[in-house]
Amino acid sequence: MILVRRRAGGPPTGPARVARTRSHELSTGDRVLQWVSGVAATIPLAGLLFITIILVVWAIPAIIYSGFTVFTSDKFFIGSFYNPNFSSVNGIVAPYGASYGALTFIVGTLTSSLIALVLAVPISVGGVLMLSEWIPRRLEGPLSTFLELLAGIPSVVFGFWGLTVFGPFLGAHIFPALSHLGVILPFFKGSWAYNGQGLLTASLVLTLMIIPIIASTTRQLVKRVPVLASEGAMALGMTKYEMVRVVTIPYVRTGIIASALLGWGRALGETIAVLLIIGMANNPPVNIYGTTSTLASTIAADLDSAFSDGTGMAVRAMAMLGLLLLIMSLITNLTGRLVVRRISSEALPVGRGV
Amino acid sequence: MQLAGTNVGTQEAVSEGVSVEGLTVKFRGTPLIEGISNLFEPNKVTAIVGPTGCGKTTLLRSINRMHDHVAGMQVSGKVVVEGVNVYGADVNVREVRRRVGMLFQRPNPFPRSIAENVGLAPRAHGLANRGNVRDLVQEQLTTVGLWDAVSSRLHGSPFGLSGGQQQLLCLARTLALSPDVILLDEPTSALDPDTTDHIEQLMKKLSERMTVLIVTHNLAQASRISDNVLFLMKGNVVEATSARTFFHDPADERSRAYVSGRIG
């Protein structure tokens, strides 16, 4: 069987080539369309480049001022603006006592998003497989719609709910029970804020926020598993569970990894919900319940006061945090692409090569 | 009523074959096959032939209850495999499918390693354990003549194999459950002549120890390998007879027209 695929960016076929070579014959409408689509295609790339360049340029003085302490120090202090003295490092002048160690925020960002990812992937994948294989078909539609509606809830609403309802509930009823588990699982040991503010609550809310992202992608993938492949398993008398394990999961694995990384990216950059829930402490979390801050939430919370720094360095420090976040997102994104490319090279089509 | 298991490797010839009694299959109320009755003789190859849409595949898929998974399919009547009605009230579908193997129109290996493709189902059915599964894999791959080609890449992907090799792998996967009946749904329609010939030889050999049902559009193939022929049109049996009679002296005028190529 020969599949005819048109490659993106390949040579234009027949009529398009004719139209392109005789551009002087194009109508006004065609010219306008050419321009509009050209501009539209350039904007995203230009946007990414522009933002990256601006961030780098703005961050450079803060990077020079801090050096490697950005990664090693958890002391982040934008300095006392009213002190007549200044701190000067490597020729960069900043308010007195200024220190831009970002370790707290790096740790906060990574832990909160990773906990969310670890919880969201099995819940999403398990839920989708449940919906597609075991739940009666007439319930599948409404339940899936409900799942996807979760994606439409604004993050500030998630934050508000987490701060006023979910956090206090966890603090009063769940965390006490969890901390008893500390006997078996040491990372559950420790004390928590009475209103539940802190790392674990933020992670749980992030989990809810990224479940729809992972679940909706996984659902599309599960629907695309070839019937012929599933029937092969059924014809051997395999149970649904065995079929899912032997056929469905290998087929959707690549896509799940890709969607998990997409969800991780969302969790890394989530700002307002985390800001409201994580407690915004200027230190790494003391335990799994501990208050801390993330890169995104710190920028949102501190940028306003950073502008009152007469030396301008505080804003540059914020740009540096933004740059760190951008780099993290790019790394997860690129890693995801690499993983997907490597795995999908073990192609899985049914009936191919015939 | 549960079908008794048989041991891998110590199969005896089957005795009763497959008997279909008044089998009707409807899709959302529209009949696809209507009241078909036929005995598929044990240790024989029966070819199910007929024009497109006559219900060949529908009949084949009712024997191992593949219609169970398609919404809107209603099956009535009896299908008796080795003395057990597979649509009986307390029948174990898993065991029915263990005893009735199926090969599809196109190869559909699992997206797992070559060895796992053969070994997973016997492990799931408790017919092999971690210790002896490797021998079973080798035995079945040897039976289908694939061992020499894949012995060095048992843990590799089956999708690197040619289409014909993939289909042989699927056959080995089915045989690993020691079925009494094997259902073939145009198994060679997508394959090259050499592999087709190879699979046809295998069919003849397998019929010594199991009942073989093959759906085919290829009359030449049917005449080469079948002992019996079941000719269907519009969901009904036109003629059920020996291959010799069907191809040389069919009783029904429509059979004669079909064999001579006047209707297709």
Side-chain angles (χ1 to χ4, degrees):
Chain A
M1 184 167 58
I2 298 165
L3 290 172
V4 180
R5 276 203 201 117
R6 191 171 299 171
R7 224 172 245 259
T13 49
R17 172 178 286 168
V18 171
R20 196 170 281 192
T21 47
R22 300 194 206 146
S23 61
H24 60 277
E25 288 176 11
L26 287 179
S27 70
T28 319
D30 285 336
R31 278 167 205 266
V32 170
L33 186 66
Q34 258 187 1
W35 270 99
V36 170
S37 54
V39 169
T42 321
I43 284 176
L45 185 68
L48 180 66
L49 271 177
F50 182 72
I51 292 171
T52 313
I53 291 168
I54 292 294
L55 270 181
V56 170
V57 168
W58 272 75
I60 282 173
I63 295 169
I64 295 172
Y65 181 87
S66 314
F68 268 108
T69 58
V70 173
F71 300 107
T72 55
S73 161
D74 62 3
K75 189 167 179 290
F76 189 89
F77 177 50
I78 53 180
S80 48
F81 299 170
Y82 306 107
N83 193 304
N85 300 310
F86 292 92
S87 291
S88 175
V89 182
N90 296 332
I92 305 283
V93 177
Y96 185 75
S99 165
Y100 305 135
L103 187 63
T104 297
F105 315 129
I106 294 171
V107 169
T109 303
L110 286 179
T111 48
S112 61
S113 59
L114 280 174
I115 294 172
L117 190 65
V118 165
L119 294 173
V121 169
I123 293 174
S124 312
V125 175
V128 165
L129 290 175
M130 199 76 187
L131 278 178
S132 68
E133 303 297 339
W134 283 281
I135 303 276
R137 204 143 286 181
R138 69 201 144 78
L139 290 179
E140 193 195 327
L143 282 171
S144 310
T145 310
F146 175 76
L147 193 68
E148 273 151 33
L149 278 180
L150 208 58
I153 300 177
S155 55
V156 69
V157 174
F158 267 113
F160 180 78
W161 171 76
L163 180 65
T164 57
V165 181
F166 192 50
F169 169 78
L170 291 175
H173 302 291
I174 305 296
F175 291 170
L178 270 186
S179 71
H180 286 301
L181 277 181
V183 182
I184 318 160
L185 304 163
F187 53 86
F188 280 131
K189 273 188 199 154
S191 58
W192 58 91
Y194 72 96
N195 66 356
Q197 274 196 341
L199 177 62
L200 188 55
T201 308
S203 303
L204 291 173
V205 172
L206 281 177
T207 306
L208 286 179
M209 296 176 80
I210 65 175
I211 281 175
I213 296 176
I214 302 174
S216 64
T217 317
T218 309
R219 184 156 167 261
Q220 301 304 320
L221 293 165
V222 168
K223 275 190 188 302
R224 276 173 32 202
V225 172
V227 175
L228 191 62
S230 322
E231 286 195 333
M234 284 180 215
L236 290 167
M238 290 190 167
T239 58
K240 282 240 170 116
Y241 165 73
E242 286 160 353
M243 184 195 82
V244 163
R245 199 168 56 88
V246 171
V247 176
T248 314
I249 289 179
Y251 265 102
V252 300
R253 195 179 44 191
T254 316
I256 288 174
I257 294 170
S259 67
L261 286 157
L262 207 67
W264 191 15
R266 171 84 203 269
L268 282 175
E270 176 48 42
T271 308
I272 190 69
V274 173
L275 188 150
L276 292 171
I277 302 166
I278 208 165
M280 297 309 287
N282 195 358
N283 53 264
V286 292
N287 56 38
I288 198 165
Y289 315 104
T291 53
T292 183
S293 321
T294 65
L295 290 163
S297 63
T298 304
I299 297 171
D302 292 357
L303 191 55
D304 189 39
S305 51
F307 274 110
S308 46
D309 177 358
T311 67
M313 281 305 294
V315 178
R316 293 175 180 280
M318 293 293 140
M320 185 178 70
L321 298 186
L323 186 62
L324 284 172
L325 183 58
L326 183 71
I327 291 169
M328 271 191 202
S329 301
L330 287 180
I331 289 174
T332 50
N333 225 306
L334 293 176
T335 315
R337 277 159 205 276
L338 278 178
V339 169
V340 169
R341 187 178 303 171
R342 198 180 62 80
I343 296 179
S344 59
S345 64
E346 308 160 14
L348 301 174
V350 164
R352 190 161 111 173
V354 180
Chain B
M1 181 162 45
Q2 184 149 342
L3 295 159
T6 50
N7 288 326
V8 178
T10 59
Q11 271 191 312
E12 295 144 26
V14 289
S15 51
E16 295 182 47
V18 177
S19 148
V20 173
E21 295 160 33
L23 185 71
T24 298
V25 180
K26 291 181 181 171
F27 180 66
R28 305 216 167 107
T30 311
L32 302 175
I33 53 177
E34 289 176 286
I36 288 187
S37 295
N38 188 56
L39 171 69
F40 297 94
E41 286 183 88
N43 303 112
K44 293 271 167 69
V45 178
T46 305
I48 305 171
V49 298
T52 305
C54 70
K56 303 185 293 285
T57 298
T58 305
L59 171 61
L60 199 74
R61 286 168 61 95
S62 11
I63 292 166
N64 63 344
R65 292 186 59 161
M66 290 303 281
H67 296 313
D68 291 12
H69 307 285
V70 183
M73 284 285 191
Q74 305 151 277
V75 181
S76 56
K78 279 170 93 176
V79 174
V80 181
V81 176
E82 296 296 299
V84 176
N85 178 14
V86 302
Y87 287 98
D90 48 1
V91 137
N92 179 349
V93 180
R94 186 173 163 87
E95 182 61 16
V96 167
R97 296 201 180 127
R98 212 261 318 134
R99 302 192 71 167
V100 182
M102 189 170 208
L103 198 60
F104 294 81
Q105 237 173 30
R106 282 178 295 144
N108 56 350
F110 298 140
R112 307 285 290 252
S113 76
I114 290 172
E116 283 176 315
N117 261 279
V118 182
L120 278 171
R123 287 290 303 277
H125 283 272
L127 299 172
N129 56 42
R130 193 184 294 274
N132 61 18
V133 71
R134 204 185 171 282
D135 295 338
L136 178 68
V137 168
Q138 176 168 1
E139 182 194 327
Q140 299 306 335
L141 287 172
T142 308
T143 305
V144 301
L146 202 54
W147 177 253
D148 292 338
V150 302
S151 58
S152 60
R153 51 202 274 206
L154 285 177
H155 301 289
S157 163
F159 297 108
L161 301 174
S162 74
Q165 287 174 323
Q166 289 185 29
Q167 190 68 312
L168 289 173
L169 178 66
C170 293
L171 181 59
R173 176 175 83 176
T174 304
L175 295 179
L177 295 178
S178 318
D180 301 321
V181 179
I182 187 158
L183 311 173
L184 306 137
D185 187 3
E186 297 186 52
T188 61
S189 63
L191 303 183
D192 61 280
D194 283 350
T195 318
T196 301
D197 183 52
H198 181 52
I199 287 185
E200 287 178 5
Q201 302 304 323
L202 278 169
M203 291 301 100
K204 289 305 277 182
K205 229 168 92 186
L206 288 171
S207 69
E208 289 165 16
R209 56 183 168 110
M210 55 188 79
T211 307
V212 180
L213 275 63
I214 179 168
V215 162
T216 180
H217 266 296
N218 182 342
L219 277 181
Q221 178 172 60
S223 72
R224 278 196 299 271
I225 61 166
S226 63
D227 302 301
N228 295 323
V229 173
L230 178 69
F231 176 46
L232 304 181
M233 275 181 86
K234 294 177 184 159
N236 289 290
V237 177
V238 174
E239 192 161 354
T241 179
S242 75
R244 176 171 289 274
T245 311
F246 183 76
F247 286 107
H248 296 105
D249 189 21
D252 197 287
E253 177 52 36
R254 286 168 295 175
S255 309
R256 204 160 303 163
Y258 186 69
V259 171
S260 63
R262 274 181 279 136
I263 53 172

